[in-house]
Amino acid sequence: MKKVMIIYGTRPEAVKVAPLIKALQSSEVLEPVVVSTGQHREMLDQVNAWFGITPDLDLKVFQHGATLSELSARILTGLPPILDEVRPDAVVVQGDTTTVAIAAIACFYHGIPVVHLEAGLRSGNIHSPFPEEANRKLAGQVAALHLAPTTTSRDNLLREAVDPASIAVVGNTVIDALHWTAQQEVAFSDDRIAHLAEQEGDVVLLTSHRRENLGDPMRRIGQAIAQLADERPGTSFVFPVHKNPKIRAEILPILHPYPNVIVCEPLDYAEFVHVQKLAKVILTDSGGVQEEAPSLGKPVLVLRENTERPEAVDAGTVRLIGTDTTAIVEATSKLLDDPEAHRRMSQAVNPYGDGRAAERSVAAIAELLGVGARLPEFVPHH
Ligand code: UDP
């Protein structure tokens, strides 16, 4: 058996590596070694529990308030002893956090092939999203295998002169996780949300946590929701707030006066998937939500100026609207009031996957390690 180490620490990483870990567990030629960095401790434990995953090792590199440089230094010194102890045949990193970039470099220095899951996403602006655009490019420079979710992401890598033979288009594992989760029965732990499932009024779901939206943009988003909530007492707004205290301080006082705004703790992954199913419109700056919602046939308004996920924008279910208060109010109102505008944006499309990305990823890793062959690439069907 070849050992494949998976390193991850945030909620979105946990969702996206879970299907891969499960698929590795049932492989006859590869076995997973699961390493958590504990970045989003509580949210991570919750996602792991949902998928029945228990990390084998904990890389305790996170310190409250540490800068990106301090974190990088801790990963660069903390990871090598674990690599020496476990001696993995390959290491998988997912996405674009600082952990991904620095762990990839540490593995490269150790001569261990790096597999980059969700490779090739690009906004085209090195400063936005910050530091993610740089992180994914750095990881891409040292990866031996690029698991690209779409042909768009493959083309981004080809433009950067990445060896075509090292790229496999597999789809995004977020859709594997979503398909399975959307089919499970889920009870809402928050009574206010459970109540929404039984009532008639429209539901608008909001998430916002990006670093570049902290400060003024977050305040403008809050003001837009406040104005919408004031104008539409029959519509409910659900806002699971990220644990980041800076986000909470900025936006919670603005939303506090409105009884139809349900502000809650981050929802368990399965509950969040089912709230997406309840929603008529989703406002978000999240990457993962931009991928999930189109698959559920939900219109998404993206609270950012750019996106590294143009596929659903091209398919017409995602629109970039930025963080201007008036723009948010107008775009949301249109989707709530104009059935034709809503219909145009709510065709279920699956540009990001067909639920088999983990299977293709395992096959491509097996090929990299000389113990298997790749499967046919992911091709989206509309
Ligand atoms: N998510 C969740 N609970 C929430 C909000 C989001 O489980 O309250 C899930 C969501 O379904 C998606 C992932 O978290 O799979 C997205 O993570 P996030 O928005 O934190 O990060 P990003 O995708 O922007 O990196």
Side-chain angles (χ1 to χ4, degrees):
M1 289 284 240
K2 300 279 187 188
K3 272 192 226 168
V4 179
M5 181 182 278
I6 301 103
I7 304 176
Y8 66 106
T10 65
R11 175 179 62 193
E13 288 170 327
V15 170
K16 289 173 176 179
V17 298
L20 179 67
I21 294 170
K22 302 304 271 182
L24 285 167
Q25 283 169 347
S26 32
S27 164
E28 283 167 9
V29 288
L30 305 174
E31 61 178 337
V33 180
V34 179
V35 179
S36 141
T37 67
Q39 181 169 359
H40 290 166
R41 172 62 64 205
E42 271 172 57
M43 297 199 284
L44 193 69
D45 291 350
Q46 188 282 311
V47 177
N48 281 335
W50 172 253
F51 290 101
I53 291 168
T54 313
D56 299 298
L57 292 162
D58 203 332
L59 182 68
K60 296 191 181 68
V61 286
F62 278 87
Q63 236 178 10
H64 191 64
T67 64
L68 292 174
S69 298
E70 285 160 352
L71 166 64
S72 302
R74 288 171 68 89
I75 296 168
L76 270 179
T77 49
L79 186 55
I82 291 189
L83 296 176
D84 286 337
E85 188 191 315
V86 177
R87 304 191 146 277
D89 296 287
V91 170
V92 179
V93 287
Q94 192 287 329
D96 51 24
T97 59
T98 297
T99 308
V100 168
I102 305 301
I105 291 167
C107 294
F108 180 76
Y109 287 159
H110 259 64
I112 299 169
V114 173
V115 178
H116 190 198
L117 179 62
E118 198 183 61
L121 276 63
R122 298 290 183 266
S123 69
N125 179 349
I126 196 81
H127 297 291
S128 170
F130 174 88
E132 289 87 355
E133 177 83 352
N135 286 340
R136 54 196 172 217
K137 291 181 88 166
L138 290 166
Q141 287 296 310
V142 294
L145 174 62
H146 307 259
L147 298 172
T150 67
T151 51
T152 309
S153 39
R154 179 191 50 205
D155 293 345
N156 290 335
L157 292 167
L158 293 177
R159 261 196 299 281
E160 292 172 13
V162 169
D163 176 5
S166 69
I167 307 171
V169 178
V170 295
N172 197 313
T173 50
V174 79
I175 304 299
D176 301 24
L178 179 73
H179 280 183
W180 180 74
T181 303
Q183 284 160 13
Q184 312 297 312
E185 288 281 318
V186 166
F188 292 113
S189 47
D190 186 318
D191 287 345
R192 296 169 301 172
I193 296 176
H195 175 69
L196 294 182
E198 279 139 33
Q199 52 106 57
E200 291 285 294
D202 289 335
V203 174
V204 175
L205 174 62
L206 166 72
T207 81
S208 182
H209 71 280
R210 293 238 85 79
R211 198 178 278 257
E212 70 254 37
N213 275 350
L214 290 176
D216 279 352
M218 196 64 72
R219 194 178 35 74
R220 293 196 295 270
I221 294 168
Q223 281 163 348
I225 299 299
Q227 185 180 332
L228 286 161
D230 194 38
E231 288 169 6
R232 299 165 181 275
T235 299
S236 303
F237 297 81
V238 181
F239 182 24
V241 195
H242 209 266
K243 292 278 184 197
N244 186 334
K246 287 189 197 145
I247 300 176
R248 295 185 170 215
E250 194 72 58
I251 204 165
L252 296 193
I254 304 174
L255 297 177
H256 185 68
Y258 301 95
N260 51 337
V261 179
I262 301 175
V263 175
C264 56
E265 291 297 310
L267 291 171
D268 284 6
Y269 168 68
E271 291 188 40
F272 184 77
V273 167
H274 286 262
V275 176
Q276 288 188 74
K277 285 171 72 176
L278 283 182
K280 184 159 185 192
V281 178
I282 299 175
L283 291 118
T284 193
D285 60 10
S286 156
V289 177
Q290 284 177 63
E291 293 155 346
E292 291 165 342
S295 222
L296 298 169
K298 301 296 176 175
V300 182
L301 299 174
V302 176
L303 307 168
R304 286 176 52 184
E305 308 300 333
N306 63 18
T307 183
E308 56 288 270
R309 293 170 171 85
E311 295 87 348
V313 177
D314 294 343
T317 63
V318 166
R319 254 187 76 196
L320 287 179
I321 56 164
T323 57
D324 177 68
T325 302
T326 310
I328 297 171
V329 171
E330 283 179 5
T332 310
S333 302
K334 179 136 183 90
L335 286 171
L336 291 174
D337 295 335
D338 179 346
E340 182 50 27
H342 187 269
R343 193 198 54 76
R344 278 199 302 274
M345 280 189 75
S346 49
Q347 315 291 339
V349 293
N350 293 293
Y352 299 111
D354 57 1
R356 296 187 52 205
E359 212 181 310
R360 292 191 193 91
S361 300
V362 168
I365 298 169
E367 187 205 53
L368 174 76
L369 299 179
V371 291
R374 286 194 196 177
L375 292 171
E377 294 200 331
F378 162 61
V379 182
H381 293 287
H382 291 290

